[in-house]
Amino acid sequence: MNVPVANESAQLLSVRNLRKEFPIRKGVLSRQVGAVKAVNDVSFDVARGETLGVVGESGCGKTTTGRTILRLIEPTSGEIRFEGRDVRSMSTSQLRKLRRDMQIIFQDPVSSLNPRMTIGAIIREGLTIHKLAEGAAADARVSRLLQEVGLRPEYANRYPHEFSGGQRQRIGIARALSVDPKFIVCDEPVSALDVSVQAQVINLLEDLQREHNLTYMFIAHDLSVVEHIADRVAVMYLGKVVELATAEDLYREPLMPYTQALLSAVPVADPKARKERIILQGDVPSPANPPSGCVFHPRCHHPSKDAACTAIVPPLEEKTPGHFAACIKQSPTTVSWEQQKNAGGVNPPERYLPLAAVHA
Amino acid sequence: MTPPLLSIRDLRTYFYTEAGVARAVDGVSFDVGAGETVGIVGESGCGKSVTALSILRLIQPPGRIEPGSRIEFEGKDLVTLGDEEIRHIRGNRISMIFQEPMSALNPVFTIGDQVAEVARIHAGLSRRQAWDRAVETLALTGMPAPEDRAKQYPHQLSGGMRQRVLIAMALIMKPALVIADEPTTALDVTIQAQILDLLVHLQKEFGTSILMITHDLGVIAETTSRVIVMYAGEVVEQAPVDELFARPHHPYTEGLMHSMPHIGHDQDRLNVIPGTVPAPTNWPHGCRFRERCPYSWERPEREHPPLYDVGAAHVSRCHLAVEPERRNNPHAPLVVVEGVGAA
């Protein structure tokens, strides 16, 4: 299988054919009547020291993907390897050790901190569980962590409600850092914050990455934040990765029509730059009953869209070096014109890049 | 010259809390002309939403609009208007689109009933007439199959569709002014694009004035013609949209623009406004932004800046207007550590 690989030897995490289905149950016997395919055959690698951005709209499966990798949600099938070790077959005690290396920062800085624990106790918990430090050594470490995230050491004795949203997110970051992880899933870490505070937290995450040689999976719906922080970006739609490329390539030349629409939809903070926009019709279909073939076909604006798109599941294929997209109408494609015609295709693939999708 | 549709003068809305008097809106003045789209931009706690609620007189105790505040609309002072009269204005002449389309709708009534109710109350239409008008208005908002959709309940609709219902409720009486408070913040970006397009289109079609309240400078740039920047309960800058983005004057506006990442213009490091918004019970003396400002000197500490004239229809609440040379040597922000107890 042709899988997007950053650099074989440098991989920290590799995910293959990951699936997560949530059963839909009905009736008194809770019979399973269907399944929500939240993550539907997702594969990617994350290289050591890089930031992989994951973008998409609500319900696209980006958060489920992040949590499944940490096994906070058990995957239905697929393979997850962290430093070569098979994460899915790990026992509870092995998994606990692994969690020292893999941490998560949550979106909501209010509900992710226990209101009855002091900041010090929250940050200390990981140190105790993993037997990293105790007593005065742990206190010293908590002080250092607080300073590192831009808070005063004396805050250790205070409670979460005494802090603003941005400060609470810093506390969440200090907690994740406490066990000296290699990999952090950042799940919408700045979405709940005001613009000025958002910039502070983004800069902090970048500084910490450099200092601690961290690898991030940065999940967000805000495309401009992801462009800023990510080295490579995966775009998800209805449980699938539909495009994966370096941030530079993706924003300069989005190839998957969904990515094009997404980029054109972002409001630009420049009144002189008022531009054409690809307005997607309708809403995202239900992941319990995704469209056949390409999941994006009912809303797609690619001029070559035809019956083949409703029949053929587009592979995530390399369109230009390092730039993967799932679209059989965007040339080049490995799905031959012969195959497309057999599936009812009438329009040959072509290269399509609407101006509206390009941010000058 | 015709008077503006809405004219707010020295609006002060205070909340009398146990922690002290929160001066959420503290001396705000601005106008909205007929057919104009005016934006109010600012971060949480700047007073933008309280300003909107004050216009509709939806402030509940312990909050109150202070005496001396004036909100003139179509020749009436909304601050002193009787309850009966203000009810006649709400939803009829001025309507509001809220941020959260789920909590703004009643889950046990069909959306058709909820849109029609507005017309029954304000236009005295019969059930049948009001229903027909509701379906018509839903169609205007781009709702597909409006006859069928009108019979559905809020939970059966997506977020974007619910927002269309709220827009239909806001527009069914063809009001003179629509206040949109973060109308797209809860929506995904492609749905946001649909809704913003719809608002701009309807505004052109009906000539309604829109007061667009948002934290998103992108939304401001794409929908408004004039912008009011609020900080700490005050207007700190006001200008036509092109002018504001080309020549931001107030250091807060400048900071907001620079702290946002822009697609296609990636920089290594984001500029940051250090610290957080001060608490409304305790606004700083002098300039309320000075503790976070890269240019601050003695004068802003002593003297609360007035709104200075800084260009064509452009005002800014910053002493840099009279001491521009201070802009040449910004000092690095000294305090990166945030203070405890801020909003």
Side-chain angles (χ1 to χ4, degrees), chain A residues 57-58 155 158 162 164 167 170 194 196 200 203 207 224 227-228 267-269 271 274 277 280 282-283 359-360, chain B residues 43-44 158 188 190 192 194 221-222 242 245 263-267 269-270 272-273 275 292 338-341:
Chain A
E57 298 179 284
S58 11
Y155 291 175
R158 304 199 187 202
E162 297 175 63
S164 68
Q167 291 173 319
R170 288 172 195 267
D194 273 321
S196 70
Q200 296 173 358
N203 283 349
D207 292 345
S224 48
E227 183 193 28
H228 176 77
V268 184
R274 278 180 197 121
R277 164 167 292 162
L280 287 183
D283 292 309
H359 289 253
Chain B
E43 298 179 287
S44 4
S158 66
D188 276 319
T190 59
Q192 165 171 288
Q194 293 175 359
E222 298 212 348
D242 290 353
F245 281 87
I263 289 182
H265 306 269
D266 196 16
Q267 68 266 54
R269 218 176 148 69
L270 296 175
V272 154
I273 304 175
R292 307 177 72 191
E338 299 172 28
V340 166

Side-chain angles (χ1 to χ4, degrees), chain A residues 41-219:
Chain A
D41 196 12
V42 161
S43 302
F44 60 85
D45 290 321
V46 186
R48 215 174 278 277
E50 85 166 333
T51 298
L52 177 73
V54 181
V55 294
E57 298 179 284
S58 11
C60 73
K62 54 191 192 300
T63 291
T64 309
T65 302
R67 295 194 180 178
T68 311
I69 289 168
L70 300 183
R71 277 184 65 191
L72 295 174
I73 298 174
E74 286 296 334
T76 307
S77 67
E79 188 182 281
I80 304 161
R81 284 186 179 276
F82 184 79
E83 296 190 307
R85 290 171 289 167
D86 181 0
V87 174
R88 280 199 66 204
S89 65
M90 282 185 183
S91 66
T92 318
S93 62
Q94 286 173 314
L95 199 58
R96 189 173 306 136
K97 285 205 195 82
L98 179 80
R99 295 241 167 91
R100 237 200 95 175
D101 291 335
M102 301 168 94
Q103 283 287 313
I104 184 165
I105 300 166
F106 295 97
Q107 167 172 7
D108 182 350
V110 179
S111 61
S112 60
L113 300 176
N114 186 334
R116 292 161 191 257
M117 284 167 80
T118 62
I119 302 313
I122 288 170
I123 297 171
R124 223 169 201 273
E125 212 176 13
L127 299 177
T128 312
I129 289 169
H130 293 287
K131 301 189 175 64
L132 299 176
E134 49 185 14
D139 289 339
R141 180 124 177 205
V142 168
S143 297
R144 216 182 52 236
L145 283 161
L146 282 171
Q147 278 173 304
E148 229 180 322
V149 298
L151 297 171
R152 292 188 200 130
E154 55 269 30
Y155 291 175
N157 298 320
R158 304 199 187 202
Y159 288 87
H161 75 263
E162 297 175 63
F163 295 88
S164 68
Q167 291 173 319
R168 283 186 234 198
Q169 205 51 291
R170 288 172 195 267
I171 295 162
I173 293 169
R175 171 175 62 186
L177 279 182
S178 67
V179 294
D180 220 350
K182 294 173 179 155
F183 176 67
I184 301 181
V185 172
C186 308
D187 188 2
E188 301 264 14
V190 297
S191 311
L193 307 178
D194 273 321
V195 184
S196 70
V197 179
Q198 181 177 309
Q200 296 173 358
V201 173
I202 291 170
N203 283 349
L204 173 65
L205 285 171
E206 288 182 319
D207 292 345
L208 293 172
Q209 178 170 41
R210 256 190 309 277
E211 283 154 28
H212 296 262
N213 191 27
L214 292 167
T215 305
Y216 289 147
M217 179 166 164
F218 193 96
I219 299 167

Side-chain angles (χ1 to χ4, degrees), chain B residues 125-148:
Chain B
L125 297 185
S126 72
R127 222 163 244 287
R128 186 73 246 167
Q129 287 170 317
W131 180 269
D132 291 345
R133 179 115 154 231
V135 171
E136 247 171 64
T137 315
L138 283 169
L140 274 179
T141 67
M143 168 115 23
E147 303 85 359
D148 302 331

